[in-house]
Amino acid sequence: MECIYRNPNAHVEDRIKDLLSRMTLKEKIGQMTQIERGVATPSVLKDLSIGSILSSGGSMPSVNALSAGWADMVDGFQKAALASRLGIPLIYGIDAVHGNNSVYGATVFPHNVNLGATRDGDLARRIGVATALEVRASGIHYTFAPCVAVGKDPRWGRYYESYSEDTEIVRKMTSIVSGLQGQPPKEHPKGYPYVAGRNNVVACAKHFVGDGGTERGINEGNTISTYDDLEKIHMAPYLDCISQGVCTIMASYSSWNGRKLHADHFLLTEVLKNKLGFKGFVISDWEGLDRLSQPHGSNYRYCISTAVNAGIDMVMVPHRFDQFFEDLTYLVESGKVPMSRIDDAVERILRVKFVAGLFEYPFSDRSLLNIVGCKLHRELAREAVRKSLVLLKNGKKPEKPFLPLDRNAKRILVVGTHADDLGYQCGGWTKTWFGMSGKITIGTTILEAVKEAVGDETEVIYEKYPSPDTFVAGDFSFAIAAVGEEPYAETLGDNSELIIPLNGGDVISLVAERIPTLAILVSGRPLVLEPQLLEKADALVAAWLPGSEGSGIADVVFGDHDFTGRLPVTWFRSVQQLPMNVADNTYDPLFPLGFGLMYKKEKSLH
């Protein structure tokens, strides 16, 4: 008799029921296990029926591997998984958080803070569509995105992964889910996972919940709030994701009022699954279970029972899967984790796999390879850059705007650490976990974009750190100084000072004292802008972390397009004011949430 679970025409719930009835405890635990690529061998995948593999940041098949090389690798893993007794396909996950950012040659879109500055939900959706195509081209089925944190404190190392400090802006940008997974039809049941087809990926709303509200912006810290505030400020975007059929939700490392989210039955099960009706699977973060005891990873059996009983369905183990199997098996056999909880977790995981079509189409689609980094996707990224730039100052006097710049000027000086560094421009989560410096992928730096944009007669001089001799020769029409932050991710980015690194402020001052200067700040968050620095610069643009398409900056500063970006966050005066958000009684920012100038003066609104 033909197995129901193998019949693509059978109802998904019937397929789940049939497959679950055939599974041993070992196979069920296998499906709940996500391991890192580096420990995945054919025998492990086949014998343990492993449910999922991930690539951590920078974990790639080979240096500068192209999408085809990734697809070969993922297909190889899939082949091993399908050789298991029941032939359950694995789901491969990666942090494609601004395009398929781990893969050489993929389009690197601006980070979430940029998209928040655009306020353009349709743009976010289109970026989701493009990202899904490039991820699927590499053979990967699943992205750990979007991050729908409401970032309340720029000292947080993941601030650039948040669209805004304003819940309503974050909610608007959740449309990226419908781009990644496809738009569910009107009659789609609420809370049920949805994937439109082979050109879409499984998405993951993260990190549930309150990750952007921790005290002093400490990564993995503690969010102190009432339940009502947690729901209203931090949980609201998840409702939008769930209504779009988001397939998975990742638990946060952080705590709520001292209770770790990975162990919070009330929030994971009673609220997320029961009250909000989420029918996909909840995944842990990397070694999220290990962090439930001190020192990390000790008393692992306790960590597993606490997390799984709280409502974690798939565990990002990611390395010591043997220990995980042994301990979870013991916990089930001794009754400390009920079989009903295991079955619920596995049902949810299988539901996503069936919905995503993995049983019918487990392997990569090589016809998508030509779309990776294509002109259309780079144009989309360039549009996103243009729309995300925020003009903070334009001219020393309102009646004398400094921008747009003259593309036919005789000589232009370009300076700064961020003028010709693609890695800096892309920020964290690019190629590696924390990002890199230099020509790390295919793209256009600010300097290259300026050179492309100017007239044939214009001379462009570039010096990373200008020397006194540069100014002696002089005769520059104007200067462009691009400075900002080095790439970072997560806790490595936590920063209580927020001064412009790499002497960026000094570079702007040095040049602006001698030549009329446009300062471009490349950063994942607002940084301290001293009054004298603001005074010296003739114009100031917040470019955030624009990604691979630097031409979007030239498009706007030379006047082909107007500025339309508005601050998605509050720009503070000094770190002593932090945290400072728009609803505060003592709200006294340097630039308020929503600020942004335009060339057409009558439209420059807060």
Side-chain angles (χ1 to χ4, degrees):
M1 191 189 93
E2 176 65 22
C3 308
I4 296 170
Y5 82 88
R6 292 195 181 278
N7 177 4
N9 301 315
H11 191 279
V12 166
E13 292 304 308
D14 293 335
R15 297 177 78 182
I16 295 168
K17 197 174 164 187
D18 177 59
L19 180 49
L20 194 70
S21 72
R22 299 167 187 271
M23 294 173 75
T24 63
L25 174 60
K26 185 180 172 186
E27 287 165 332
K28 289 174 182 177
I29 292 173
Q31 286 303 300
M32 293 172 68
T33 306
Q34 185 179 65
I35 61 174
E36 213 286 321
R37 180 190 75 83
V39 295
T41 64
S43 60
V44 165
L45 299 176
K46 175 174 173 280
D47 299 345
L48 297 181
S49 190
I50 295 290
S52 183
I53 302 178
L54 84 151
S55 270
S56 57
S59 175
M60 54 189 81
S62 60
V63 179
N64 291 347
L66 300 176
S67 296
W70 282 82
D72 290 341
M73 175 188 73
V74 177
D75 283 351
F77 288 139
Q78 189 67 283
K79 201 173 164 189
L82 294 174
S84 63
R85 184 179 75 92
L86 294 168
I88 305 172
L90 62 80
I91 186 166
Y92 198 105
I94 200 164
D95 285 277
V97 298
H98 60 142
N100 198 13
N101 43 257
S102 302
V103 176
Y104 187 86
T107 312
V108 182
F109 290 94
H111 267 297
N112 287 357
V113 68
N114 289 71
L115 301 189
T118 72
R119 308 289 199 279
D120 189 338
D122 186 61
L123 175 68
R125 184 192 60 78
R126 288 184 286 139
I127 288 171
V129 170
T131 300
L133 287 166
E134 297 205 13
V135 170
R136 285 312 291 256
S138 68
I140 294 170
H141 325 103
Y142 179 20
T143 174
F144 306 123
C147 175
V148 293
V150 179
K152 289 294 186 183
D153 194 322
R155 292 174 291 189
W156 185 34
R158 305 192 80 153
Y159 198 70
Y160 62 86
E161 295 185 61
S162 166
Y163 294 109
S164 177
E165 72 180 52
D166 180 339
T167 302
E168 289 313 304
I169 295 172
V170 177
R171 292 187 67 175
K172 196 174 186 178
M173 308 317 283
T174 61
S175 54
I176 194 167
V177 171
S178 290
L180 292 165
Q181 297 190 158
Q183 187 87 43
K186 287 269 188 289
E187 67 280 4
H188 187 74
K190 184 181 177 298
Y192 203 84
Y194 180 78
V195 180
R198 294 180 73 189
N199 291 347
N200 296 94
V201 290
V202 168
C204 178
K206 68 183 191 185
H207 309 84
F208 190 84
V209 60
D211 51 342
T214 60
E215 259 195 308
R216 301 191 305 285
I218 293 170
N219 190 46
E220 305 182 21
N222 187 27
T223 297
I224 299 170
S225 83
T226 63
Y227 176 74
D228 285 350
D229 279 349
L230 187 75
E231 193 174 58
K232 191 172 79 212
I233 296 166
H234 297 284
M235 207 181 287
Y238 288 91
L239 276 68
D240 300 286
C241 295
I242 290 167
S243 71
Q244 292 173 74
V246 76
C247 287
T248 76
I249 290 176
M250 186 182 290
S252 181
Y253 283 136
S254 58
S255 303
W256 173 52
N257 296 335
R259 276 210 322 247
K260 285 198 175 283
L261 258 298
H262 275 71
D264 198 318
H265 182 273
F266 170 68
L267 289 174
L268 295 181
T269 296
E270 293 173 48
V271 176
L272 177 58
K273 292 179 175 178
N274 299 348
K275 184 181 173 186
L276 303 184
F278 174 62
K279 300 285 192 297
F281 68 78
V282 175
I283 186 168
S284 83
D285 208 331
W286 174 275
E287 291 182 349
L289 274 60
D290 302 55
R291 284 163 161 77
L292 295 178
S293 65
Q294 290 297 338
H296 286 172
S298 61
N299 202 352
Y300 198 39
R301 201 169 274 180
Y302 158 80
C303 297
I304 296 169
S305 66
T306 307
V308 173
N309 282 331
I312 299 286
D313 302 309
M314 182 178 276
V315 178
M316 196 183 289
V317 175
H319 294 126
R320 49 175 180 160
F321 57 87
D322 287 332
Q323 188 71 50
F324 177 72
F325 266 81
E326 186 186 313
D327 286 349
L328 186 49
T329 303
Y330 166 82
L331 289 164
V332 176
E333 288 174 348
S334 63
K336 292 186 170 67
V337 173
M339 187 56 101
S340 58
R341 174 74 273 270
I342 298 294
D343 286 348
D344 172 56
V346 177
E347 278 174 18
R348 290 167 175 276
I349 291 161
L350 295 177
R351 185 175 293 129
V352 170
K353 290 185 176 186
F354 282 123
V355 160
L358 290 180
F359 282 80
E360 287 67 57
Y361 302 106
F363 295 110
S364 63
D365 177 357
R366 303 296 167 128
S367 72
L368 295 174
L369 286 170
N370 288 340
I371 215 162
V372 176
C374 67
K375 190 171 188 293
L376 213 62
H377 288 180
R378 292 192 185 277
E379 284 299 326
L380 176 60
R382 185 170 175 170
E383 176 193 344
V385 174
R386 282 199 296 268
K387 289 180 170 177
S388 66
L389 302 174
V390 179
L391 181 58
L392 298 175
K393 178 183 178 180
N394 190 15
K396 292 186 174 171
K397 293 179 182 160
E399 65 277 9
K400 282 192 74 179
F402 183 66
L403 299 178
L405 301 171
D406 176 9
R407 67 174 72 244
N408 294 309
K410 196 170 172 210
R411 292 186 89 212
I412 300 171
L413 177 64
V414 178
V415 302
T417 47
H418 289 59
D420 194 32
D421 193 313
L422 195 61
Y424 280 6
Q425 206 171 288
C426 291
W429 291 114
T430 314
K431 201 160 183 189
T432 64
W433 171 46
F434 43 82
M436 296 168 79
S437 170
K439 198 80 179 167
I440 62 170
T441 188
I442 297 166
T444 307
T445 66
I446 295 170
L447 175 66
E448 289 165 345
V450 168
K451 286 179 171 175
E452 263 172 40
V454 296
D456 295 341
E457 306 293 306
T458 302
E459 190 185 359
V460 177
I461 311 291
Y462 167 63
E463 288 191 17
K464 191 175 184 175
Y465 294 108
S467 64
D469 298 350
T470 310
F471 304 109
V472 176
D475 203 21
F476 291 108
S477 308
F478 56 82
I480 298 172
V483 300
E485 294 187 297
E486 294 171 283
Y488 53 84
E490 299 190 44
T491 307
L492 301 173
D494 282 2
N495 183 336
S496 57
E497 295 177 349
L498 298 178
I499 51 175
I500 304 173
L502 306 167
N503 301 322
D506 296 343
V507 171
I508 295 171
S509 291
L510 177 72
V511 178
E513 281 166 3
R514 295 163 175 82
I515 307 168
T517 299
L518 159 64
I520 299 174
L521 196 59
V522 178
S523 66
R525 51 193 160 195
L527 300 173
V528 175
L529 295 172
E530 300 293 353
Q532 63 271 27
L533 186 71
L534 260 179
E535 238 165 75
K536 285 175 186 172
D538 295 80
L540 176 63
V541 171
W544 314 106
L545 297 171
S548 61
E549 304 312 304
S551 301
I553 295 172
D555 289 342
V556 182
V557 299
F558 287 106
D560 294 336
H561 293 263
D562 202 345
F563 284 91
T564 55
R566 295 187 291 143
L567 289 181
V569 296
T570 295
W571 205 294
F572 58 90
R573 293 176 190 276
S574 76
V575 287
Q576 283 69 43
Q577 294 175 298
L578 298 175
M580 178 171 57
N581 300 110
V582 73
D584 300 348
N585 293 332
T586 55
Y587 193 64
D588 177 32
L590 184 60
F591 301 107
L593 173 80
F595 180 85
L597 303 172
M598 298 177 77
Y599 296 144
K600 299 181 185 71
K601 283 195 184 65
E602 71 279 5
K603 285 190 185 167
S604 292
L605 300 170
H606 288 193

